[in-house]
Amino acid sequence: MLIFWLTIFSLVANYVESAVITADPCTVISGKDWVSPAEARACMTAFPLEPQARANVIEVVSKMLPFHASENYQLQAPPPFEKIHVNLASELVRLNTTQYSSEFEFHLDMQRTMQRANDGHFTMYNYCYDRLYHTFIPLPLVFLTDESNGKRDVFIAPEAFKVASEEFKDQIEFWQNGLPGILKGNLASLSGSKVLLIDGEDPLIAVNDSANVKGVSQAFATRQNYFFASYGHDLEDWTYNMGDFAHQAYPIVDSVQLTVQRPNNTQTDVFTIPYRARANVLAKEHIKDLSSYRQKICIADENTNGADRNDTSASSQSDPDENPEIAFLHQEYEPGLELSKSPMRIQRDGIPSDLPDMDIALPEDLRPKSDPLDESHGAAQFFMLDGNKTGVLLYGSFFARGRRATRLVARRLLQGLQKLKDDGADRLIVDVTNNGGGAIRLSHWLHRILMGYSDKTYPQAGLDTTARAGPLAQIIVEQIITKDLDPRNRSRYNPARWRNAQHRPLPLNKNWLKTGPKLMINGKYDAFSERLGQEAQPFRDTLGIDPPQERLFDPKNILILSNGVCFSSCGLFSVRMAKSHGVRTVVAGGQNNIRQEYTGMIGAQVINFKDIDTEVKSAKLKNHTLAPPDFLSRSAMSVTWRLGYGVNNPNEPEEWQPHWADIAFPLTLSTVNNPEAIWKALASQYLGNNTLFRVQKP
Ligand SMILES: *[C@@H]1O[C@H](CO)[C@@H](O)[C@H](O)[C@H]1NC(C)=O
Ligand SMILES: *[C@@H]1O[C@H](CO)[C@@H](O)[C@H](O)[C@H]1NC(C)=O
Ligand SMILES: *[C@@H]1O[C@H](CO)[C@@H](O)[C@H](O)[C@H]1NC(C)=O
Ligand SMILES: *[C@@H]1O[C@H](CO)[C@@H](O)[C@H](O)[C@H]1NC(C)=O
Ligand SMILES: *[C@@H]1O[C@H](CO)[C@@H](O)[C@H](O)[C@H]1NC(C)=O
Ligand SMILES: *[C@@H]1O[C@H](CO)[C@@H](O)[C@H](O)[C@H]1NC(C)=O
Ligand SMILES: *[C@@H]1O[C@H](CO)[C@@H](O)[C@H](O)[C@H]1NC(C)=O
Ligand SMILES: *[C@@H]1O[C@H](CO)[C@@H](O)[C@H](O)[C@H]1NC(C)=O
């Protein structure tokens, strides 16, 4: 079933041919919550690729590439990431000339091509297509170890029916009635089944097919883990991710055949189950016919492109924050997509969404039995395990919305950790499962308070960084420093925002993009800014709070737990904890003969097209030949704006240095997606008195 590129194309193309007779395939799905993938696809592929639309996207992407710090590294990543190689410049030539049967097909090819960089900071999003129809089957999978023989196998999650019947109340009957024979109406009996075959093949083939096109993370094991269901915690509540098998971003797969062995059954069951596509809020509200779909969802709106900061008449201002001084710090995962007033939720692959139908809740009986401590706040939740020996910080996102929120999180992190200590804990599990990052400052803060004051946390508790010095970026800096175009220090390109490698302010009259190294990367000349030093201290100034002098926990007594999905700010935090202090990292789940990695995407800072466009417009350079044009479609794009230098090799980016987890923790039917059960097992196996403390090898 999954997802061979060519099959998708021919499938889409065939559909378009057969749909010619239908007058308007979008009227068929108008107002419906649930449709078949084929119905959604017919509407989404009904619009041809117009030459002007293609030219616009190709020009934006190609003119954004010089802002992407990893472009030349990704031509051929060094070991152990040598499978990552994509030449985007030449791929753009291909995308510019290939025949596509629809704009959707072009978008998919563009997005999948960019995903070959396996870099979640390097993304392309189009509201016209991405997650317009979330496509589900009610059978999330998990990867478990059979306790009887130690073998790892794919299972239908034991909680599958509970999750699906709760989340898909209005659709579960459809699936129930579609099952054959004794399974009809008996969907619940499939929960916990062992999956023997997917579409007649070893399930691991489907897992690999998905991992090979997923993008997001350099770590292959982590891309495999995305196939499976997992838990998380966003700014509000526990979440449940169904995994890429059961929840797809596009309606391109119609059904899947599974061969399973149900619990306590000796015979096998073979059945085919259809995917169903659920309209998101945009589709639900705006798709009346093809024309309303195009006009209301697909055309650039006031949030798509940037604006000159000094143009008070412009309806759109790039910095969404009330305080521009801090806005840039948590722009990680803030790609300018403010769609509604509701709080933004950050998906685990970094794509922000405020569409309410994105959230699926972790079932009550899988949540910790004990209440979180009162100090808990947002994505930071504190728990105490039995006996007050081991505390837990569950930290699902480094994101905080705005300056006040960031300061409050910093305070609560300290108060919660101190409370765990005061109540007797001398061991700590930091659970960052599905933490896609957020505020860079908070990652420095958490590292600094856990580990105390030392030359490893002061003055630099993060990583030194460098920004790519592309030709237009250099001219932006030139404009700012020679024409005083940024008197309020709002531009990321203003030297007033940064410190040098000695952590002293950059001179205001020098072009900091011209004082850095000229490099040869994979045979291409490249240029980066001079080395930038720390950006978060003194914390009194940046977060309104001073850290205590002493460390809170002994690094021997800390475990950092995730499913590998710990990216960006979360990656910065974990890398410093693991490599500078020897804190052990744990990845739960996954295949045991594939090495697990505790982070697979660090960057240091992402920037989106809208913010680059604001920089260009504010520097009065929109007419420059190197400047990307405005997007015509309701699209968004992001690139890696800065790279962090490594801990073990401080002269090369941390991005391409190894991040092997110390412990690959197997999951079972009784621990999977049950965070408290996992924490307890880890505490007794790895934080007990007799545990050998292993210092991570570089
Ligand atoms: C794409 O094609 C157009 C028209 O042929 C051409 O002007 C443009 O330079 C091409 N862009 C790239 C990146 O190849
Ligand atoms: C999945 O990919 C991994 C890594 O390339 C490989 O070692 C493994 O054999 C693959 N499994 C299957 C079933 O193809
Ligand atoms: C399978 O059998 C065991 C032992 O009899 C029982 O404890 C368990 O609940 C059964 N599982 C299911 C899903 O029926
Ligand atoms: C754990 O700490 C709490 C809060 O201080 C206290 O009420 C409780 O009695 C302690 N439990 C144990 C087993 O020490
Ligand atoms: C910004 O706008 C103000 C008021 O229109 C003007 O006086 C000022 O010169 C402008 N500054 C820049 C840097 O363009
Ligand atoms: C901008 O930064 C410079 C250099 O740090 C400083 O002197 C100036 O006061 C800042 N301007 C504002 C408006 O904060
Ligand atoms: C770009 O050039 C056109 C034509 O010369 C001019 O009207 C426009 O104001 C310029 N725009 C900017 C942002 O400089
Ligand atoms: C660890 O050792 C201490 C001191 O010997 C003892 O009080 C404590 O109960 C032990 N804890 C565990 C989990 O074995």
Side-chain angles (χ1 to χ4, degrees):
M1 107 190 162
L2 290 170
I3 278 176
F4 262 81
W5 216 201
L6 291 170
T7 37
I8 295 167
F9 285 167
S10 55
L11 215 144
V12 170
N14 288 344
Y15 203 89
V16 166
E17 272 163 41
S18 65
V20 171
I21 33 160
T22 319
D24 183 335
C26 299
T27 55
V28 177
I29 58 174
S30 166
K32 289 185 182 160
D33 280 319
W34 290 94
V35 299
S36 73
E39 288 169 323
R41 209 159 58 228
C43 174
M44 289 166 69
T45 56
F47 202 75
L49 177 60
E50 291 181 337
Q52 184 195 355
R54 183 209 305 251
N56 177 249
V57 172
I58 297 270
E59 191 179 354
V60 171
V61 175
S62 58
K63 290 180 173 173
M64 283 292 284
L65 282 185
F67 293 93
H68 176 44
S70 296
E71 180 187 4
N72 286 326
Y73 291 101
Q74 287 162 346
L75 290 173
Q76 178 56 70
F81 304 113
E82 58 274 52
K83 282 197 173 161
I84 298 171
H85 49 85
V86 52
N87 184 334
L88 287 153
S90 68
E91 289 296 325
L92 285 177
V93 175
R94 177 181 66 77
L95 285 147
N96 206 12
T97 48
T98 302
Q99 289 276 331
Y100 296 99
S101 62
S102 67
E103 190 184 89
F104 179 44
E105 188 192 6
F106 167 70
H107 173 66
L108 279 175
D109 196 5
M110 173 64 83
Q111 193 173 61
R112 286 280 158 89
T113 300
M114 288 176 57
Q115 281 169 350
R116 283 166 47 197
N118 290 329
D119 178 356
H121 284 145
F122 185 61
T123 63
M124 178 79 180
Y125 197 85
N126 186 339
Y127 275 95
C128 191
Y129 305 112
D130 290 298
R131 297 180 175 169
L132 189 68
Y133 281 86
H134 297 271
T135 301
F136 296 101
I137 49 171
L139 298 174
L141 301 184
V142 289
F143 199 63
L144 302 180
T145 300
D146 187 334
E147 278 152 300
S148 61
N149 60 12
K151 220 173 143 278
R152 296 205 187 187
D153 279 305
V154 175
F155 287 78
I156 294 171
E159 67 278 5
F161 186 72
K162 194 169 292 163
V163 171
S165 55
E166 184 59 34
E167 179 66 22
F168 308 131
K169 287 192 177 81
D170 51 350
Q171 194 62 193
I172 200 81
E173 284 310 308
F174 179 93
W175 280 305
Q176 288 279 25
N177 296 331
L179 287 170
I182 51 164
L183 293 177
K184 185 168 179 176
N186 211 0
L187 192 59
S189 74
L190 291 168
S191 298
S193 298
K194 186 188 267 191
V195 177
L196 305 174
L197 300 171
I198 296 178
D199 284 334
E201 294 189 308
D202 180 349
L204 290 174
I205 290 174
V207 175
N208 276 11
D209 286 352
S210 178
N212 284 329
V213 299
K214 173 74 192 171
V216 179
S217 169
Q218 303 110 334
F220 184 78
T222 303
R223 285 182 271 130
Q224 287 190 315
N225 295 348
Y226 267 108
F227 195 73
F228 300 106
S230 58
Y231 66 89
H233 199 292
D234 66 12
L235 299 188
E236 282 140 40
D237 203 358
W238 288 95
T239 57
Y240 185 86
N241 296 291
M242 295 195 62
D244 290 345
F245 174 73
H247 178 183
Q248 306 192 350
Y250 306 105
I252 49 185
V253 181
D254 293 301
S255 64
V256 61
Q257 188 198 65
L258 291 177
T259 306
V260 305
Q261 185 174 3
R262 286 183 292 153
N264 299 342
N265 270 279
T266 47
Q267 91 273 21
T268 57
D269 295 294
V270 184
F271 61 94
T272 296
I273 186 162
Y275 279 86
R276 295 290 287 166
R278 184 164 73 178
N280 75 11
V281 288
L282 290 177
K284 186 84 188 302
E285 191 174 331
H286 295 304
I287 296 182
K288 310 274 181 258
D289 50 30
L290 182 58
S291 142
S292 71
Y293 166 39
R294 295 296 308 176
Q295 278 167 25
K296 295 280 178 40
I297 302 179
C298 303
I299 296 170
D301 71 359
E302 69 279 6
N303 288 316
T304 307
N305 298 301
D308 185 343
R309 291 193 185 90
N310 202 37
D311 179 1
T312 45
S313 68
S315 59
S316 160
Q317 279 293 333
S318 174
D319 291 336
D321 202 273
E322 70 280 5
N323 186 317
E325 289 308 308
I326 199 154
F328 80 113
L329 286 167
H330 52 78
Q331 65 180 329
E332 302 221 302
Y333 301 126
E334 204 164 68
L337 305 171
E338 304 86 45
L339 250 187
S340 81
K341 284 101 227 142
S342 64
M344 185 184 288
R345 299 199 159 92
I346 308 303
Q347 302 301 314
R348 64 192 182 135
D349 48 4
I351 297 175
S353 171
D354 34 23
L355 307 178
D357 58 354
M358 297 291 291
D359 282 318
I360 301 179
L362 183 69
E364 288 293 337
D365 63 346
L366 290 174
R367 302 181 185 199
K369 302 292 164 281
S370 47
D371 290 331
L373 304 190
D374 292 344
E375 288 74 11
S376 301
H377 176 77
Q381 301 282 315
F382 298 92
F383 297 90
M384 186 68 100
L385 299 187
D386 304 340
N388 290 6
K389 280 252 174 272
T390 304
V392 176
L393 162 59
L394 169 80
Y395 199 23
S397 170
F398 279 85
F399 185 80
R401 199 175 238 290
R403 174 194 174 88
R404 283 182 58 212
T406 309
R407 290 177 170 225
L408 180 58
V409 173
R411 191 165 294 276
R412 292 298 185 87
L413 283 170
L414 179 58
Q415 289 169 343
L417 291 165
Q418 270 169 336
K419 174 79 168 128
L420 291 172
K421 256 188 89 125
D422 293 347
D423 287 352
D426 60 359
R427 302 156 188 175
L428 180 72
I429 294 172
V430 182
D431 185 345
V432 286
T433 298
N434 283 326
N435 186 324
I440 295 171
R441 253 169 221 201
L442 287 175
S443 78
H444 296 198
W445 170 251
L446 185 57
H447 169 213
R448 167 65 184 82
I449 58 177
L450 280 170
M451 293 291 94
Y453 174 88
S454 76
D455 61 358
K456 293 174 177 171
T457 57
Y458 183 85
Q460 177 60 286
L463 298 175
D464 286 359
T465 60
T466 184
R468 190 154 190 221
L472 188 61
Q474 292 190 12
I475 299 169
I476 294 173
V477 175
E478 207 63 40
Q479 288 282 95
I480 289 171
I481 61 179
T482 59
K483 300 193 175 154
D484 191 27
L485 284 176
D486 187 39
R488 294 173 63 198
N489 301 341
R490 297 176 71 181
S491 169
R492 291 158 193 84
Y493 284 107
N494 192 329
R497 299 280 284 258
W498 305 106
R499 295 189 184 89
N500 67 14
Q502 288 72 45
H503 312 297
R504 282 194 284 275
L506 293 180
L508 297 179
N509 55 1
K510 254 176 67 192
N511 191 329
W512 59 286
L513 292 189
K514 290 189 172 163
T515 49
K518 306 276 180 291
L519 301 178
M520 174 76 92
I521 302 166
N522 286 318
K524 305 267 187 196
Y525 287 105
D526 210 337
F528 288 84
S529 76
E530 69 178 87
R531 192 180 185 97
L532 301 175
Q534 75 91 10
E535 58 200 84
Q537 304 197 50
F539 290 112
R540 162 66 47 193
D541 296 347
T542 59
L543 293 172
I545 181 171
D546 288 316
Q549 190 81 359
E550 297 298 320
R551 74 182 184 201
L552 293 172
F553 291 87
D554 184 336
K556 289 190 190 60
N557 292 338
I558 301 178
L559 295 176
I560 298 177
L561 161 68
S562 78
N563 54 346
V565 180
C566 163
F567 295 153
S568 205
S569 295
C570 185
L572 288 173
F573 164 74
S574 308
V575 161
R576 288 300 316 271
M577 293 290 284
K579 295 191 176 182
S580 302
H581 305 276
V583 167
R584 288 167 299 165
T585 55
V586 185
V587 172
Q591 228 185 314
N592 48 354
N593 53 354
I594 305 276
R595 223 165 152 184
Q596 299 291 323
E597 300 175 47
Y598 63 86
T599 180
M601 193 255 283
I602 297 156
Q605 189 171 13
V606 68
I607 194 166
N608 57 68
F609 163 77
K610 182 180 175 178
D611 289 337
I612 290 286
D613 194 40
T614 289
E615 296 289 0
V616 168
K617 286 170 175 163
S618 303
K620 319 292 180 198
L621 290 168
K622 189 65 176 175
N623 280 350
H624 197 282
T625 50
L626 298 176
D630 281 8
F631 264 128
L632 301 176
S633 52
R634 195 165 170 177
S635 295
M637 181 188 175
S638 65
V639 299
T640 305
W641 189 64
R642 282 193 285 160
L643 283 170
Y645 285 109
V647 177
N648 292 334
N649 179 353
N651 299 316
E652 292 292 332
E654 183 63 51
E655 193 80 5
W656 290 280
Q657 300 188 30
H659 306 108
W660 306 124
D662 297 290
I663 299 161
F665 184 74
L667 296 172
T668 66
L669 278 171
S670 54
T671 55
V672 66
N673 291 326
N674 185 331
E676 193 172 45
I678 296 170
W679 302 337
K680 284 182 174 167
L682 285 174
S684 74
Q685 286 178 47
Y686 295 102
L687 292 170
N689 285 352
N690 303 321
T691 326
L692 215 55
F693 172 64
R694 288 181 290 137
V695 177
Q696 168 150 333
K697 289 170 208 72

